[in-house]
Amino acid sequence: MPIRIADNLPARRTLESEGVIVMGETEAARQDIRPMRIALLNLMPDKITTETQIARVLGATPLQVELELLRITDHVSKNTAAGHIANFYRPWTEVEHEKFDGLIVTGAPVETLAFEQVTYWDELARIFDWSQTHVHRTLTLCWGAMAAMYHFHGVGKHDLSTKASGVFAHRNCAPASPWLRGLPDRFDVPVSRWAEVRQGDLPVNGGLAVLADSDEVGLCLVDDPAHRALHMFNHLEYDTLTLATEYARDAGAYVPQHYFPGDDPAAAPVNTWRGSGHILYGNWINEVYQTTPFDLAAIGE
């Protein structure tokens, strides 16, 4: 089944060129099924790249997905054209009375700040609380996952002396978990962050389960059933060249580990995580579909 996005969203042309089935609103209305309503709270500066990456992995699943793009209400994006924001994004306060099958909260380049120093922290905290009554399941990514762990469990983050950047082997700690169904015992995951959440800081009685981790870069995926949330500290949605783009943007200040063949930035990177990303996001959207109420109004009751 396809993903339903606006006809003139830039991601549409990219996805169609890759063979991802994209459906317009007129076509979607003709199908006598209820699509999965998924909200994407996009906190990244380059919103077009991030929305394309998320739409790609959601569009590869066998379910019809209606993707709603959300933004922090009063935050002004400096790296994405105002016209794009106005045309395709709704402020959260405009949808806070609506209900969604799923919510994805992205990372943001604010990892070195204390959470309360982030200008939109108060609204983000309200969104996390809102997700408990208006969203069936939540998936948080990178800094968004750190923020959710802090908000729901009081777990702080630790700054890193050097950026964790590269593609790292991760251990599948729970092969029987519905979130990891089909993933191998070890799988590669792109990592790009200046902070980390440590396993030793997780509350003993918090009901949290570590699903994937790495000897080199620590925690990757944590299940939080009490809040119907899955916290991913890394980036299985990344494109092949995302880390190369970051390397160029940062003027070669660091070379992503295990990414360029022979650690040579002149060599073309090879994508070793694409299949794992599709499996994880496919498992998440399938679990949302299997467990969400048919009547959206029943979510949170």
Side-chain angles (χ1 to χ4, degrees), residues 142-164:
C142 200
W143 180 83
M146 300 179 202
M149 290 289 288
Y150 179 71
H151 178 73
F152 288 125
H153 299 280
V155 176
K157 59 183 176 61
H158 299 268
D159 292 342
L160 299 173
S161 57
T162 58
K163 186 175 185 178

Side-chain angles (χ1 to χ4, degrees), residues 247 255-256 259-269:
Y247 169 77
V255 177
Y259 175 60
F260 296 112
D263 291 328
D264 178 7

